[in-house]
Amino acid sequence: MNAHDKPNAPVLDSYWMPFTANRQFKATPRLLASAEGMHYTSIDGRPILDGTAGLWCVNAGHGRRQIAAAVERQLSAMDFAPSFQMGHPIAFDFAERLAEIAPGPAGAKLDRIFFTGSGSESVDTALKIALAYQRSIGQGTRTRLIGRERGYHGVGFGGISVGGIVNNRRVFPQLPGSDHLRHTHDPAKNAFVKGQPEHGAELADDLERLVALHGAETIAACIVEPVAGSTGVLIPPKGYLERLRAICDKHGILLIFDEVITGFGRLGATFAADYFGVTPDIVTTAKGLTNGAIPMGAVFASRKVHDALMHGPEGQIELFHGYTYSGHPAACAAGIATLDIYRDEDLMTRAAELQQDWHEAMHSLKGLPHVIDIRTIGLIAGIELSPRDGAPGARAYDVFVDCFERGLLIRVTGDIIAFSPPLIVEKRHFGEIVWTLGDALKRVR
């Protein structure tokens, strides 16, 4: 029996919730009972329009029977199989399907796939692969990892070390030697932009500063989100990613794109690497990989990186790394079914078809109370609010609660509202989102 089937409200004490003000939430909980298509249903029976694809992950919409059936078949046939010195066909099948759509040009695709259980695991895996690669080519002094201010790369110790969210770093120690590029957010020059900002490509040169400071011979990899999502939809200026790629090539630094959010159609291309026309050496994914149905992640590596480790005795483990649930059979089944839906319904490119109307709808909020910036790309939007004096984040949180009570799920990070609706969204939903949010902005103090 599920909690929402019980005649009384569930007891909330035992569950220590992630990234949540537990005491505040449990005083006035917001509970979801079911989901279908573009909507959740709350525990009290109200429809809630999903403006965030769950948590950036339900790209094909909720309740996809095709995915559920595939998982049921796989669980009935084989629930689990070890992936250490063993294998099962569906993991190899899924890897082949992912290799076919891997980012990169023909002949240079990132088509070597390492399975993980989440985005955080994908990031830590990618960082370890980068370190192992540098050692394998005789560059063992390259142990430094470069992230970016206002970046989010999950919650592993590697991810928080290269991440740039202060609250993720304040309590926990970081890996020694990590450093950070300046962020690219410049509202003074780039406010209310649709697509990529015009100003800021030169900010990529900050990597040259870190090379001069630390020495290129100490730097293994640089990791960035092509579009930073969890810090409020920070879009790369025109030419920025290209410049970063060139600097990495110049100094023998691996470039990692964290595409946990942007992968699988969010920008109107399969990956942000394809959208921007910049190919990194490694890409991290999760979220949309299985439409959020079963936790899973995948790291895409170039053959250059992969093959550099395929040396030594054949009985030697080339990368001493992995997870109990790497390539989990049921997760692979969910992933294959998800790819089928993306292909059959052309969801990988749907954002490109809708983005102009999406941008116009989101930017129609300009001029409403407290709105100081709006930025959009693909089917993503960030609406930045002026902070309340002495209470940063409180105003956006109040808008979040107001919208939920009126049937719209939004996501807030600080005083920024982020939207990333499922890719099955229709234009009629844009109006509902704008009306509900706009009304909330007029009410909030």
Side-chain angles (χ1 to χ4, degrees), residues 122-279:
S122 289
V123 167
D124 278 19
T125 296
L127 297 177
K128 290 176 77 173
I129 288 173
L131 293 171
Y133 166 81
Q134 297 290 7
R135 180 177 291 273
S136 73
I137 63 169
Q139 296 288 313
T141 60
R142 291 181 180 264
T143 59
R144 194 177 302 277
L145 301 167
I146 306 298
R148 187 169 58 187
E149 296 171 354
R150 296 189 68 165
Y152 177 67
H153 301 292
V155 295
F157 280 102
I160 63 173
S161 298
V162 294
I165 299 179
V166 173
N167 284 342
N168 272 2
R169 299 162 54 84
R170 182 172 282 135
V171 176
F172 307 106
Q174 284 89 60
L175 297 178
S178 56
D179 209 337
H180 298 79
L181 305 170
R182 294 169 57 195
H183 65 74
T184 62
H185 188 41
D186 188 356
K189 294 180 179 178
N190 294 322
F192 297 99
V193 170
K194 301 171 185 175
Q196 289 187 266
E198 294 290 338
H199 306 283
E202 71 282 357
L203 292 170
D205 295 341
D206 205 36
L207 184 54
E208 291 279 17
R209 176 183 65 84
L210 296 180
V211 168
L213 175 64
H214 299 298
E217 72 280 2
T218 72
I219 301 175
C222 176
I223 181 170
V224 297
E225 300 160 277
V227 176
S230 294
T231 55
V233 186
L234 309 183
I235 301 167
K238 291 178 180 178
Y240 174 87
L241 293 175
E242 293 89 339
R243 207 152 164 171
L244 199 60
R245 173 74 274 182
I247 296 170
C248 285
D249 287 341
K250 175 182 175 183
H251 295 291
I253 300 168
L254 291 183
L255 179 60
I256 304 170
F257 278 2
D258 184 343
E259 295 222 34
V260 170
I261 282 175
T262 53
F264 305 103
R266 180 53 52 190
L267 300 184
T270 306
F271 294 95
D274 302 318
Y275 179 90
F276 293 115
V278 178
T279 303

